[in-house]
Amino acid sequence: MSSLTQALRVALDRRQPLLDELHAQGTDCYRLFHGSQEGAAGLTLDRYGPQLLVQSFHHSLEREPLLELIDTVQAHLQLNLLPVYNDRSRGNSRIDRQDSVHQPDDAALQDLVGHEWGLNYRVRGRHAGQDPLLFLDLRNARGWVRRHSQGKRVLNLFAYTCGVGLSAAAGGAREVCNLDFAEGNLAVGRENAALNPELPDMQFIQSDYFPAIRQLAGLPVTARRGQKLPAYPRLQAREYDLVLLDPPAWAKSAFGTVDLLRDYQSLLKPALLATAPDGVMICCNNLAKVPMEEWREQVLRCAAKNGRPVREWQVIQPAADFPSQDGQPPLKTLVLQF
């Protein structure tokens, strides 16, 4: 048995209590091996319902070690899964679609369905983007939203494929708005909604973050000197009871720059103003190099400075399928009660 397979077996044994709990909850989407913390940096194994997604970010896997990993997972779970191997060790984490190591079955690349707390989610091993359609480390935050959305107006910013919005709808929110720049992301969000027809309708807004959130906050949308802004959807100023802010690490547009390392405040300020005075905001930061304590104090200062002093706060840690040896996981999630 290779050292890699042995590390996987240890990880699976360590997860078994969590897997039992997740299966009882109606969840079959979770991380099986978190290589950066479990002995193989740059390697991840994730289950998405009937699919096993293996990804390598630093070095390509050889075929035999890959097949051994697949067999080990299937034997442990006592399931025949549909494996997809995405080699992302090339520039910009782009998927090598030549499949020189392992050719997935056609069935593995079809539209599939995974489950989280009984909700249905679209699963695709390959699609136009790079990342999976459901970020597994945000599961606990989605669960928190579901438990605290009853009767709330919920705004899901940088919504991606709208998992948080779906959780809010399942939790009894009276209104859910998902906002994202990419129509492809929102299209998957609409698929997720269609896969759960018993839930109330959600709203989907395709827009750059900055003009949308500034309008919702009642602030003007201004252009840089000498520049003309592109067209953007017109929105009315309003407040939400629960707002989730989960931006990417970095992005730039004609309206502004998303930079979690240097300028989280420019994202946070207008979102605070779109949150009801007695509402809740959930802030996320996925940069590993940013310490939780430092970022938390920055967020709390910004809130107080902008007339939204935080009455209580709490941290939502990722579940045990995302272990962190130093207690500082890359994804940091902070719940602010105003």
Side-chain angles (χ1 to χ4, degrees), residues 103-118:
Q103 177 70 48
D105 294 339
D106 289 342
L109 297 179
Q110 299 302 310
D111 284 359
L112 302 171
V113 177
H115 308 88
E116 186 179 271
W117 280 297

mmCIF file of all heavy atoms in Angstrom, residues 103-118:
data_model
loop_
_atom_site.group_PDB
_atom_site.id
_atom_site.type_symbol
_atom_site.label_atom_id
_atom_site.label_comp_id
_atom_site.label_asym_id
_atom_site.label_seq_id
_atom_site.Cartn_x
_atom_site.Cartn_y
_atom_site.Cartn_z
ATOM 1 N N GLN A 103 -9.605 8.663 -18.317
ATOM 2 C CA GLN A 103 -10.742 9.089 -19.118
ATOM 3 C C GLN A 103 -12.029 8.776 -18.365
ATOM 4 O O GLN A 103 -12.348 7.617 -18.113
ATOM 5 C CB GLN A 103 -10.756 8.359 -20.459
ATOM 6 C CG GLN A 103 -11.945 8.685 -21.338
ATOM 7 C CD GLN A 103 -11.894 10.095 -21.876
ATOM 8 O OE1 GLN A 103 -10.865 10.532 -22.384
ATOM 9 N NE2 GLN A 103 -12.987 10.827 -21.768
ATOM 10 N N PRO A 104 -12.799 9.797 -17.960
ATOM 11 C CA PRO A 104 -14.044 9.505 -17.240
ATOM 12 C C PRO A 104 -15.083 8.884 -18.164
ATOM 13 O O PRO A 104 -15.101 9.136 -19.376
ATOM 14 C CB PRO A 104 -14.490 10.884 -16.742
ATOM 15 C CG PRO A 104 -13.872 11.851 -17.683
ATOM 16 C CD PRO A 104 -12.571 11.237 -18.127
ATOM 17 N N ASP A 105 -15.934 8.066 -17.604
ATOM 18 C CA ASP A 105 -17.058 7.534 -18.353
ATOM 19 C C ASP A 105 -17.984 8.672 -18.769
ATOM 20 O O ASP A 105 -18.062 9.705 -18.097
ATOM 21 C CB ASP A 105 -17.848 6.536 -17.513
ATOM 22 C CG ASP A 105 -17.042 5.282 -17.197
ATOM 23 O OD1 ASP A 105 -16.071 5.002 -17.928
ATOM 24 O OD2 ASP A 105 -17.397 4.593 -16.221
ATOM 25 N N ASP A 106 -18.703 8.452 -19.854
ATOM 26 C CA ASP A 106 -19.658 9.471 -20.297
ATOM 27 C C ASP A 106 -20.657 9.800 -19.194
ATOM 28 O O ASP A 106 -21.039 10.969 -19.005
ATOM 29 C CB ASP A 106 -20.402 8.992 -21.544
ATOM 30 C CG ASP A 106 -19.512 8.950 -22.783
ATOM 31 O OD1 ASP A 106 -18.438 9.595 -22.763
ATOM 32 O OD2 ASP A 106 -19.883 8.280 -23.758
ATOM 33 N N ALA A 107 -21.071 8.786 -18.438
ATOM 34 C CA ALA A 107 -22.056 8.996 -17.370
ATOM 35 C C ALA A 107 -21.533 9.930 -16.301
ATOM 36 O O ALA A 107 -22.300 10.655 -15.664
ATOM 37 C CB ALA A 107 -22.459 7.661 -16.750
ATOM 38 N N ALA A 108 -20.212 9.936 -16.076
ATOM 39 C CA ALA A 108 -19.621 10.782 -15.038
ATOM 40 C C ALA A 108 -19.662 12.247 -15.415
ATOM 41 O O ALA A 108 -19.590 13.123 -14.539
ATOM 42 C CB ALA A 108 -18.184 10.356 -14.772
ATOM 43 N N LEU A 109 -19.787 12.548 -16.708
ATOM 44 C CA LEU A 109 -19.780 13.928 -17.175
ATOM 45 C C LEU A 109 -21.180 14.439 -17.499
ATOM 46 O O LEU A 109 -21.334 15.559 -17.991
ATOM 47 C CB LEU A 109 -18.873 14.062 -18.400
ATOM 48 C CG LEU A 109 -17.393 13.751 -18.158
ATOM 49 C CD1 LEU A 109 -16.596 13.901 -19.440
ATOM 50 C CD2 LEU A 109 -16.818 14.639 -17.063
ATOM 51 N N GLN A 110 -22.196 13.637 -17.221
ATOM 52 C CA GLN A 110 -23.566 14.075 -17.417
ATOM 53 C C GLN A 110 -24.008 14.962 -16.258
ATOM 54 O O GLN A 110 -23.371 15.020 -15.205
ATOM 55 C CB GLN A 110 -24.492 12.858 -17.528
ATOM 56 C CG GLN A 110 -24.172 11.940 -18.686
ATOM 57 C CD GLN A 110 -24.218 12.642 -20.033
ATOM 58 O OE1 GLN A 110 -25.203 13.329 -20.352
ATOM 59 N NE2 GLN A 110 -23.158 12.502 -20.824
ATOM 60 N N ASP A 111 -25.125 15.649 -16.443
ATOM 61 C CA ASP A 111 -25.711 16.412 -15.346
ATOM 62 C C ASP A 111 -26.197 15.450 -14.269
ATOM 63 O O ASP A 111 -27.011 14.560 -14.539
ATOM 64 C CB ASP A 111 -26.882 17.257 -15.843
ATOM 65 C CG ASP A 111 -26.431 18.481 -16.610
ATOM 66 O OD1 ASP A 111 -25.217 18.683 -16.729
ATOM 67 O OD2 ASP A 111 -27.298 19.227 -17.098
ATOM 68 N N LEU A 112 -25.691 15.633 -13.048
ATOM 69 C CA LEU A 112 -26.030 14.766 -11.932
ATOM 70 C C LEU A 112 -26.626 15.608 -10.811
ATOM 71 O O LEU A 112 -26.679 16.842 -10.898
ATOM 72 C CB LEU A 112 -24.784 14.026 -11.443
ATOM 73 C CG LEU A 112 -24.061 13.166 -12.496
ATOM 74 C CD1 LEU A 112 -22.725 12.661 -11.955
ATOM 75 C CD2 LEU A 112 -24.937 12.011 -12.954
ATOM 76 N N VAL A 113 -27.063 14.948 -9.751
ATOM 77 C CA VAL A 113 -27.670 15.638 -8.620
ATOM 78 C C VAL A 113 -27.024 15.160 -7.326
ATOM 79 O O VAL A 113 -26.940 13.957 -7.074
ATOM 80 C CB VAL A 113 -29.191 15.399 -8.554
ATOM 81 C CG1 VAL A 113 -29.795 16.072 -7.316
ATOM 82 C CG2 VAL A 113 -29.880 15.924 -9.806
ATOM 83 N N GLY A 114 -26.538 16.113 -6.524
ATOM 84 C CA GLY A 114 -26.066 15.830 -5.178
ATOM 85 C C GLY A 114 -27.038 16.418 -4.169
ATOM 86 O O GLY A 114 -27.960 17.162 -4.530
ATOM 87 N N HIS A 115 -26.808 16.103 -2.894
ATOM 88 C CA HIS A 115 -27.760 16.502 -1.855
ATOM 89 C C HIS A 115 -27.033 17.079 -0.650
ATOM 90 O O HIS A 115 -25.951 16.612 -0.288
ATOM 91 C CB HIS A 115 -28.603 15.305 -1.417
ATOM 92 C CG HIS A 115 -29.244 14.577 -2.552
ATOM 93 N ND1 HIS A 115 -28.599 13.544 -3.214
ATOM 94 C CD2 HIS A 115 -30.449 14.751 -3.153
ATOM 95 C CE1 HIS A 115 -29.397 13.097 -4.174
ATOM 96 N NE2 HIS A 115 -30.509 13.808 -4.163
ATOM 97 N N GLU A 116 -27.654 18.082 -0.049
ATOM 98 C CA GLU A 116 -27.165 18.657 1.200
ATOM 99 C C GLU A 116 -28.374 19.006 2.056
ATOM 100 O O GLU A 116 -29.216 19.798 1.638
ATOM 101 C CB GLU A 116 -26.322 19.896 0.927
ATOM 102 C CG GLU A 116 -25.669 20.472 2.168
ATOM 103 C CD GLU A 116 -24.826 21.691 1.852
ATOM 104 O OE1 GLU A 116 -23.627 21.512 1.542
ATOM 105 O OE2 GLU A 116 -25.351 22.822 1.889
ATOM 106 N N TRP A 117 -28.446 18.404 3.246
ATOM 107 C CA TRP A 117 -29.598 18.578 4.127
ATOM 108 C C TRP A 117 -30.915 18.370 3.377
ATOM 109 O O TRP A 117 -31.887 19.102 3.575
ATOM 110 C CB TRP A 117 -29.574 19.940 4.818
ATOM 111 C CG TRP A 117 -28.647 19.964 5.993
ATOM 112 C CD1 TRP A 117 -28.735 19.233 7.121
ATOM 113 C CD2 TRP A 117 -27.478 20.766 6.137
ATOM 114 N NE1 TRP A 117 -27.694 19.523 7.973
ATOM 115 C CE2 TRP A 117 -26.916 20.458 7.378
ATOM 116 C CE3 TRP A 117 -26.853 21.711 5.328
ATOM 117 C CZ2 TRP A 117 -25.746 21.063 7.846
ATOM 118 C CZ3 TRP A 117 -25.696 22.300 5.788
ATOM 119 C CH2 TRP A 117 -25.164 21.978 7.033
ATOM 120 N N GLY A 118 -30.908 17.382 2.488
ATOM 121 C CA GLY A 118 -32.131 17.030 1.782
ATOM 122 C C GLY A 118 -32.435 17.876 0.564
ATOM 123 O O GLY A 118 -33.367 17.567 -0.178
#
